[in-house]
Amino acid sequence: MKIIKIGTRKSSLACRQAEIVADYIENACEGYGARLVTLVTTGDKILDRKLDAIGGKGLFVKELDIALRNKVTDLSVHSLKDVPMEVPKDLPMIGFSAREDVRDVLVLPKGKPGYDYGAPIGCSSNRRALQLKELYPDAEVKNIRGNVLTRLEKLDGGEYGALVLAAAGLKRLGLSGRISRYFSPEEMVPAAGQGILCIQGRAGEDNTFLQGFFDEEARQCALCERAFVAYLNGSCALPIGACAEIIDERRMRLLGLYFDEETKIYRKMGLTGERKNPEELGTALARELKRACSE
């Protein structure tokens, strides 16, 4: 039996996501087994500053890339929204999982019936902070770092009056009961790739045993959303969001959010295009939104 070593961050959510892949290998891939290799990334260590101030999303994948390149691991499993736009050619994204719930959600302290404005709303991204100002104009929005369980501890301890988190992470951890409100993608445009797992491997190696795990609709949405962000030179510092959905066998729709640093104008816009050309759709919407925000 060939054992596939799966690299993952140490957080409960990261391990659960890697276990989803490991479970597939163990149960559906004859002749293969799986073992998790947990690593602590730089992004996990530095929790007292905003992510964009310390180097961006790449800090969550650097150590996993090194382990994969040095053959300490055979695969890496990431939340796609944490994967930088620039992916090393020798460590390509080899496939994507079916998408979990794409939406952002509001989480309240245990026992609270609603958000009472008595304490700030915690969120970890400028994208969420920008959109929260529309939804809760009188609320203070305060940065929060750390894994999901750490953030929930801070919430229940009274440091925050509410949190905004990804529904996908809470559901994968079995914590959907903590969700107080779902934000529609139109209310709060999600991060590109939210809810999708990305599997990264080494170039030139045979990973066909995973073909049954990979999801074509998720792949098309992933390529569309990442093309949108790439055209806009998006990073975790800019309030940019993208959410693609499959309409039918031929068409897909992309919803995007863009903030122009120079004009301080931001817009949300949707565009429909061909599923066979997801990156063209992403680029086309990015171009339209950039034009609208610069006028």
Side-chain angles (χ1 to χ4, degrees), residues 205-237:
E205 296 197 355
D206 182 8
N207 292 296
T208 53
F209 63 93
L210 282 172
Q211 285 306 308
F213 179 82
F214 297 147
D215 185 88
E216 177 60 15
E217 290 191 1
R219 185 190 73 84
Q220 292 171 332
C221 290
L223 293 178
C224 184
E225 293 166 13
R226 286 175 66 83
F228 173 86
V229 176
Y231 181 88
L232 297 170
N233 294 316
S235 68
C236 58

Side-chain angles (χ1 to χ4, degrees), residues 1-120:
M1 176 179 289
K2 182 176 181 179
I3 301 298
I4 304 298
K5 295 169 289 184
I6 302 174
T8 176
R9 294 162 59 194
K10 272 192 170 182
S11 74
S12 298
L13 177 56
C15 287
R16 176 62 201 128
Q17 291 174 164
E19 286 169 359
I20 292 171
V21 181
D23 289 346
Y24 176 84
I25 293 172
E26 294 277 357
N27 296 314
C29 302
E30 187 175 351
Y32 290 88
R35 177 169 63 86
L36 266 56
V37 177
T38 57
L39 300 164
V40 177
T41 69
T42 304
D44 296 315
K45 295 175 185 176
I46 304 174
L47 299 175
D48 59 344
R49 281 168 282 170
K50 293 186 73 173
L51 190 59
D52 56 279
I54 59 174
K57 294 180 179 181
L59 296 180
F60 288 125
V61 303
K62 180 181 176 181
E63 284 79 4
L64 273 73
D65 282 356
I66 292 171
L68 189 55
R69 192 171 279 123
N70 292 337
K71 299 189 177 182
V72 174
T73 58
D74 301 304
L75 301 171
S76 295
V77 176
H78 305 286
S79 293
L80 181 59
K81 67 184 180 68
D82 293 332
V83 178
M85 290 299 116
E86 295 290 332
V87 177
K89 290 184 179 180
D90 63 324
L91 302 176
M93 298 184 292
I94 61 173
F96 306 95
S97 74
R99 191 168 222 162
E100 185 42 281
D101 196 324
V102 71
R103 294 172 291 180
D104 280 320
V105 298
L106 190 74
V107 180
L108 298 173
K110 287 181 178 178
K112 286 275 189 178
Y115 177 57
D116 59 10
Y117 291 85

